[in-house]
Amino acid sequence: DTITYNAAVSACEKGGQWVKALGLLVEMSSACVALHSITYSAAMSACEKSGRWAEALGLLVQMASVRVELSTVTCSAAVSACEKGG
């Protein structure tokens, strides 16, 4: 269920658990659960908190490849990750 996964990814974001957040995205995809910009934004924020700017940008690219619509929040999360990553 998308809402449950979004909550889990958001919890990973709050805890700075970027690896777990990205793992949940993979799990969602494998389980054919729809990924949304909200999911990606939370995962990017988890990457941001850990200084993982390259992973955040990778998620932005992945969004385009799976045709998830970019949002202002998602783009801001990616920019913020780059800013904090140096």
Side-chain angles (χ1 to χ4, degrees):
D1 174 65
T2 302
I3 294 171
T4 304
Y5 273 105
N6 284 349
V9 174
S10 291
C12 291
E13 171 204 351
K14 288 174 181 42
Q17 299 293 317
W18 69 274
V19 173
K20 289 183 182 180
L22 297 184
L24 286 169
L25 292 181
V26 171
E27 190 176 311
M28 287 176 77
S29 183
S30 296
C32 297
V33 176
L35 290 113
H36 296 279
S37 63
I38 295 167
T39 317
Y40 279 102
S41 295
M44 284 182 206
S45 292
C47 292
E48 170 199 344
K49 290 182 181 193
S50 300
R52 308 301 297 196
W53 63 270
E55 286 78 3
L57 285 182
L59 291 173
L60 201 62
V61 170
Q62 182 181 345
M63 284 180 73
S65 72
V66 296
R67 301 196 195 294
V68 173
E69 187 174 339
L70 297 174
S71 70
T72 303
V73 173
T74 306
C75 292
S76 294
V79 168
S80 184
C82 291
E83 177 182 65
K84 291 185 180 176

